[in-house]
Amino acid sequence: MSFQLSLDLPDPAATDALGARLAEILRIGDVVALEGPLGSGKTALARATIRALTGPAEDVPSPTFTLVQVYQSDVGPLYHFDLYRLEAPDQAVELGVDDAFSDGISLVEWPDRLGGYLPRRHLKITLAAGADKDSRVARISGGVQWKERWR
Ligand SMILES: Nc1ncnc2c1ncn2[C@@H]1O[C@H](COP(=O)(O)OP(=O)(O)O)[C@@H](O)[C@H]1O
Ligand SMILES: [Mg+2]
């Protein structure tokens, strides 16, 4: 990977700020792979990103059972996937990943479930526990294009 960054997120506000930063640079066709164990903050980060793009009052439930939630924003459609319950990568096609990945901005929890359907151009954000209960560490990586876009 040509772009790598590690960010300390000492509290939920820092995670919200990362979401706001993402919202500034994301555009149609982008796929953000959100990795990390249960409770690491994938949904919290997706929620912050979606709210930065739609409005602070937007209700952003976890797509645990629906697998995908779609939002309209000024930039275009936002797709929030939680693929934990996906049984096979082919099911992702039925969920509409092709359209999402080409015509929208996609935030994907449990992206490993996609197998080969995860576009190589994705930005990967891996969340992990930090030093205390409310802190997390985000490791961000992607291809060289992300290096330029992150500045
Ligand atoms: N710095 C932080 N960043 C994100 N979430 C945090 C942080 N500190 C505490 N939390 C809490 O951790 C939990 C993360 O849950 P969630 O976002 O649903 O995780 P995941 O989607 O990875 O399973 C939430 O209850 C959130 O309030
Ligand atoms: Mg989640």
Side-chain angles (χ1 to χ4, degrees):
M1 285 294 169
S2 312
F3 170 61
Q4 275 182 314
L5 181 72
S6 184
L7 281 182
D8 282 325
L9 306 171
D11 48 37
T15 301
D16 289 350
L18 174 58
R21 176 78 188 109
L22 277 172
E24 285 173 358
I25 63 170
L26 290 178
R27 53 194 194 215
I28 297 304
D30 285 345
V31 178
V32 181
L34 297 170
E35 300 199 329
L38 220 61
S40 59
K42 303 179 295 297
T43 298
L45 179 57
R47 182 175 293 127
T49 309
I50 291 163
R51 284 185 175 155
L53 286 165
T54 57
E58 186 72 54
D59 181 33
V60 184
S62 173
T64 312
F65 297 104
T66 53
L67 305 195
V68 61
Q69 297 282 345
V70 190
Y71 303 86
Q72 300 305 325
S73 80
D74 290 342
V75 226
L78 310 176
Y79 293 85
H80 180 195
F81 292 97
D82 181 337
L83 302 179
Y84 187 78
R85 289 181 159 72
L86 205 69
E87 278 158 18
D90 280 344
Q91 276 189 343
V93 178
E94 293 161 37
L95 266 184
V97 290
D98 286 340
D99 285 346
F101 293 172
S102 59
D103 304 337
I105 293 172
S106 301
L107 307 171
V108 188
E109 299 184 45
W110 302 100
D112 56 302
R113 301 291 196 273
L114 283 171
Y117 291 111
L118 179 64
R120 295 185 54 137
R121 64 177 188 278
H122 71 271
L123 179 72
K124 179 160 102 172
I125 303 184
T126 304
L127 294 166
D132 61 73
K133 185 176 78 62
D134 282 343
S135 70
R136 301 290 186 273
V137 177
R139 288 187 188 79
I140 306 173
S141 62
V144 67
Q145 70 274 22
W146 286 105
K147 192 176 197 163
E148 285 152 26
R149 290 176 60 189
W150 197 268
R151 280 187 291 203

